[in-house]
Amino acid sequence: MASLSSPTRSRPAFDVEAVRRDFPALQQQVNGHPLVYLDNAATTQKPLPVLEALRGYYERDCANIHRSIHQLGERATEAFEHTRLVAQRFLGAGSAREIVFTAGATAGLNLVAQTFGRMRVGSGDEVLITAMEHHSNIVPWQMLCQEKGARLAVVPINDAGELIWEALEERLTPRTRLLAVTHVSNALGTINPLRQIVAAAHARQIPVVVDGAQAVAHMPVSVAELDCDFYAFSGHKIYGPTGVGVLYGKSEWLERMPPWQGGGDMIRSVSFEGTTYNRVPYKFEAGTPHIAGVIALAAALEYALRLDPAAAAGHEDGLRALAAERLAAIPGVRLIGTAPQKVGVLSFVIEGIHPHDVSTLLDQQGIAVRAGHHCAQPLMERYGVAATSRASLAAYNTRQEIEALAAGVAQVKEMLG
Amino acid sequence: MPDWRELYQELILDHNRRPRNFRRPPAANREAQGFNTLCGDRIVLYLDLRDGIIADIGFQGAGCAISTASASLLTERLKGRTAAEAEALFRRMHALLTGVSEPAEGQPELGKLEALSGVAEFPTRVKCATLAWHTLHAALAGSQAMVSTEE
């Protein structure tokens, strides 16, 4: 009895079965097998509180926000603005005014490129990105550089999939006007040392824009600690709805930035002679937003916080280690992205078998993985592959599912080998 | 639910393991590139076209089992055929793979190409199988432009 009742500081085991019960989509069979959903870096499944929030808005509180002087409008506005407070707390931002709602991480990055980028970058300047960026953190900067006659510089990575630190420091030059970097690589899983990166950039007065799309669901994030200037993420990759996301920006920048899109809600007054803009953050939120999505995003972020991000991260890390071990043990399987600091993203290639064939055959066994270039074509080129298969984890995945993946991959080899 | 064996028939697996005519014919005078932007499959199809007859044909590139086997079967079938026959077969195969129409009178026989018919049951894989045929169409038309499955 003594051992049972003795106070310990150990955390109660992460109850993955309880978590799974919150996700209706995980309860289904696919091609005659229980669904093994390992495509979480593409999008996560949604828990009941998120589904209920979406339904609740459309069923009870459906009204436009910030303008309807009636009961439903007040409820919708209150719920919408509640998400801003939740997102502020979730990201550790200093003020809710630093939270801008967007359509997703891509929209957030484009917003920064088209406002902050355009006011900051000029002819002959440089914008610095890295070799592991998603297309959404490459193309907006390429477009900006083309428009301004600026140059896009790229920090290379090593074979394990980590940024080469000396190369990063070398490329932070007096011409560098901003650094755009991902927190976590969507194709490799690498976690970048953001605090050090931001410190190195800030030491040279270079602001840092962070793509947080692949990070927020897998680790606690504090923009105050990171000290980054912008941080963008998508709701749907952290158990929330598609079509909605958050852009954090330091208020000192947001105040000085011009608006992005013009329209309703972002104005204070409009005449044909000119327009005065609404205050931050509303001047960046033109038009009727995805109200239901924003409201349900609060449910998603609160759900993630309730899971205990540190416990969930520990659970996922155990699965990642198991998956890496099992996959590497299969002859002919090569893992791409082997950084010591990484989340549960397992990119792999099987010698002589194309990732598309792998996906189709795994799907026959109810296992969902992604095949392709993962919107990171320059990265695929770096590794000399056209595409990879990618299994990506979430808090609701289990050890049995990892074993099913490994058995499935071995079976694919048998079928096509 | 379609069975994977419908898609990966033994003939397909064989042509994937040992693609036929996987080379550039020495006297090739037409070529076209095909690119599947979704998965990165890429092929180059070469024709040695003389007086309206495909004297020689070959392909190179990298792709999945379906796209490789489709290209291999294509080359095997069309060597020595006329350009007009190749065009007719392109239309027949396109209809077969996309599952849009039943064969009508006077259309070319499928023969071994029948092995690709399972693709129609796998919507995500149709473009893998059609890539080589679109590329053939472009090569016959003498088009230098790259063929993309997303157009």
Side-chain angles (χ1 to χ4, degrees):
Chain A
M1 286 308 287
S3 65
L4 283 178
S5 59
S6 67
T8 75
R9 279 183 296 137
S10 74
R11 195 179 285 118
F14 185 76
D15 187 355
V16 67
E17 290 307 324
V19 174
R20 291 180 71 79
R21 284 194 289 277
D22 292 331
F23 290 81
L26 296 178
Q27 318 304 324
Q28 66 188 297
Q29 301 260 316
V30 168
N31 291 332
H33 299 269
L35 169 65
V36 175
Y37 187 78
L38 297 172
D39 195 14
N40 295 289
T43 197
T44 56
Q45 299 301 329
K46 317 306 173 200
L48 287 166
V50 169
L51 304 178
E52 281 157 11
L54 286 169
R55 190 184 173 99
Y57 167 74
Y58 287 121
E59 226 168 48
R60 292 184 311 269
D61 307 330
C62 185
N64 214 325
I65 51 166
H66 298 151
R67 62 192 72 141
S68 308
I69 313 294
H70 52 68
Q71 189 51 236
L72 271 56
E74 276 172 32
R75 274 191 241 144
T77 302
E78 193 183 316
F80 185 90
E81 289 303 323
H82 169 71
T83 303
R84 215 181 292 275
L85 298 172
V86 174
Q88 176 206 347
R89 183 158 52 91
F90 181 81
L91 284 179
S95 156
R97 296 172 56 235
E98 298 180 313
I99 301 297
V100 179
F101 292 123
T102 66
T106 298
L109 294 167
N110 276 277
L111 189 160
V112 178
Q114 290 300 311
T115 55
F116 183 71
R118 282 174 96 174
M119 79 183 199
R120 204 174 153 78
V121 176
S123 174
D125 287 341
E126 289 178 1
V127 171
L128 185 58
I129 62 170
T130 85
M132 69 171 84
E133 299 309 316
H134 185 282
H135 293 166
S136 61
N137 207 21
I138 301 174
V139 182
W141 306 113
Q142 230 161 20
M143 290 162 66
L144 175 69
C145 287
Q146 268 165 14
E147 178 192 318
K148 296 288 188 176
R151 197 177 81 86
L152 192 67
V154 184
V155 182
I157 58 171
N158 62 21
D159 288 342
E162 299 165 291
L163 295 177
I164 300 173
W165 187 260
E166 301 73 41
L168 168 69
E169 289 209 308
E170 255 171 48
R171 283 163 178 73
L172 291 168
T173 74
R175 287 171 182 271
T176 310
R177 299 297 285 159
L178 65 91
L179 166 63
V181 59
T182 193
H183 194 171
V184 167
S185 158
N186 74 306
L188 303 172
T190 309
I191 304 171
N192 282 321
L194 256 194
R195 279 177 74 165
Q196 291 94 304
I197 291 171
V198 172
H202 281 182
R204 297 160 175 85
Q205 281 78 51
I206 298 167
V208 181
V209 183
V210 181
D211 172 3
Q214 295 294 339
V216 286
H218 307 289
M219 64 189 69
V221 171
S222 163
V223 291
E225 271 179 42
L226 294 170
D227 197 32
C228 55
D229 298 271
F230 297 93
Y231 194 101
F233 74 88
S234 298
H236 73 97
K237 292 192 201 284
I238 179 163
Y239 314 120
T242 58
V244 63
V246 166
L247 172 70
Y248 158 82
K250 280 187 176 169
S251 60
E252 62 195 84
W253 292 128
L254 294 179
E255 293 293 348
R256 288 157 59 189
M257 281 153 56
W260 182 28
Q261 296 174 322
D265 229 26
M266 54 78 70
I267 50 87
R268 184 160 289 146
S269 70
V270 176
S271 74
F272 289 117
E273 285 67 48
T275 293
T276 46
Y277 302 122
N278 204 338
R279 63 194 165 86
V280 166
Y282 306 106
K283 81 175 175 191
F284 300 108
E285 295 177 357
T288 297
H290 182 4
I291 301 170
V294 168
I295 291 171
L297 178 62
L301 298 180
E302 283 168 335
Y303 185 86
L305 289 170
R306 266 204 310 280
L307 280 186
D308 181 351
H315 168 71
E316 285 182 40
D317 201 53
L319 298 180
R320 179 199 57 75
L322 178 68
E325 189 188 317
R326 289 286 189 273
L327 289 173
I330 301 169
V333 171
R334 174 163 72 111
L335 286 167
I336 295 194
T338 50
Q341 297 296 318
K342 63 175 281 185
V343 300
V345 167
L346 297 120
S347 259
F348 60 96
V349 289
I350 309 178
E351 199 185 336
I353 303 180
H354 193 278
H356 252 192
D357 298 315
V358 177
S359 261
T360 295
L361 289 170
L362 289 178
D363 180 56
Q364 292 293 302
Q365 304 170 50
I367 303 169
V369 301
R370 170 88 185 266
H373 51 59
H374 316 299
C375 297
Q377 284 176 339
L379 186 63
M380 296 293 110
E381 211 159 291
R382 162 71 176 72
Y383 284 95
V385 295
T388 72
S389 299
R390 181 187 69 186
S392 53
L393 310 176
Y396 44 62
N397 287 126
T398 66
R399 295 180 74 84
Q400 296 93 295
E401 289 181 312
I402 301 302
E403 299 293 358
L405 170 70
V409 170
Q411 204 178 330
V412 168
K413 271 202 66 187
E414 221 164 273
M415 289 167 177
L416 294 189
Chain B
M1 171 195 61
D3 191 287
W4 69 273
R5 289 172 205 85
E6 295 287 313
L7 186 59
Y8 294 100
Q9 298 186 22
E10 198 44 53
L11 189 69
I12 303 277
L13 295 177
D14 178 55
H15 276 258
N16 177 47
R17 285 190 203 104
R18 298 184 301 117
R20 319 299 198 268
N21 306 305
F22 193 73
R23 62 190 168 79
R24 184 184 195 282
N29 51 18
R30 293 278 180 91
E31 68 175 72
Q33 291 188 54
F35 185 45
N36 184 335
T37 47
L38 280 178
C39 60
D41 286 355
R42 197 181 276 275
I43 75 161
V44 190
L45 190 78
Y46 305 99
L47 298 177
D48 177 353
L49 196 63
R50 296 182 207 176
D51 304 326
I53 292 176
I54 299 172
D56 202 354
I57 182 168
F59 78 104
Q60 290 177 320
C64 64
I66 306 303
S67 73
T68 303
S70 182
S72 175
L73 286 161
L74 177 156
T75 61
E76 192 182 61
R77 170 67 178 263
L78 289 179
K79 200 184 285 191
R81 304 297 181 106
T82 66
E85 282 175 304
E87 270 299 336
L89 195 62
F90 161 72
R91 286 192 297 274
R92 176 84 173 87
M93 287 305 291
H94 194 266
L96 174 80
L97 298 172
T98 54
V100 292
S101 71
E102 291 298 310
E105 286 290 308
Q107 289 204 350
E109 290 299 314
L110 287 174
K112 279 187 187 177
L113 297 172
E114 183 86 48
L116 289 165
S117 61
V119 168
E121 299 295 316
F122 290 79
T124 58
R125 303 305 300 278
V126 168
K127 285 173 179 172
C128 307
T130 55
L131 180 63
W133 297 90
H134 282 293
T135 310
L136 165 74
H137 185 62
L140 287 169
S143 162
Q144 289 300 307
M146 182 181 278
V147 178
S148 167
T149 53
E150 297 312 293
E151 280 160 16

